[in-house]
Amino acid sequence: MASASATATLLKPSPVPPQHKPIITASVSSPLPPPRRHNLLLRRDLLSLSATSTLLLTQSLTFLAPSPASAAEDEEYVKDTSAVISKVRTTLSMERTDPNVADAVAELRDASNSWVAKYRKEKALLGKASFRDIYSALNAVSGHYVSFGPTAPIPAKRKARILEEMETAEKALSRGR
């Protein structure tokens, strides 16, 4: 009897050939020159040029003569400010016992609130002496009447300061400041 022997063969993975490490060679040469621009403006150059020209243009506009629209706005500012000044003076000169004091104070508050709302956002006016003085005086008057009521008399020192600010503002207004 012939015996057949069966041998199991295991599958062995074939050996992986060793990997070769790349050989790095270095040579000394000059660095690459920057890429040529071929006289084309890059985006950053264009933005920089645009920002610079805008800045120069806006700075030079302040030295030019005022346009008719801004002259009309100045006239309107002078007219509105003079009206507010006269309203403050008439309200402050009223007697405490006058029955119209409360109505005059309400009108003054409306006028001062509309004046402040209209001119506070105007950047050209923020540096003017007349605006600063009127704004301060209106703040003092409104603060007094809000705190103490429309019939409470304004103390003498505060009244004197308010009237002085009004006078200073009128002088500055007449000089275009």
Side-chain angles (χ1 to χ4, degrees), residues 13-93:
S14 62
V16 178
Q19 292 196 0
H20 297 289
K21 293 184 178 179
I23 300 174
I24 299 174
T25 59
S27 64
V28 178
S29 66
S30 62
L32 293 175
R36 292 191 158 255
R37 294 169 66 178
H38 300 290
N39 295 331
L40 295 177
L41 288 176
L42 295 176
R43 182 175 179 212
R44 77 181 119 196
D45 294 333
L46 183 65
L47 290 174
S48 175
L49 182 64
S50 172
T52 304
S53 63
T54 302
L55 179 67
L56 289 174
L57 230 160
T58 56
Q59 293 298 322
S60 65
L61 286 178
T62 59
F63 298 113
L64 298 176
S67 66
S70 68
E73 290 172 0
D74 284 347
E75 289 176 16
E76 185 179 3
Y77 169 74
V78 169
K79 185 182 75 156
D80 290 347
T81 305
S82 297
V84 168
I85 289 173
S86 67
K87 194 170 288 268
V88 169
R89 283 201 171 128
T90 57
T91 305
L92 292 181
S93 66

Side-chain angles (χ1 to χ4, degrees), residues 145-166:
Y145 287 129
V146 165
S147 297
F148 302 108
T151 57
I154 294 181
K157 284 177 78 174
R158 184 177 297 159
K159 187 175 184 178
R161 184 179 65 87
I162 290 169
L163 291 174
E164 181 182 335
E165 285 178 340
M166 292 290 166

Side-chain angles (χ1 to χ4, degrees), residues 132-147:
R132 182 185 60 238
D133 290 339
I134 292 295
Y135 189 86
S136 175
L138 290 177
N139 193 24
V141 170
S142 294
H144 173 79
Y145 287 129
V146 165
S147 297

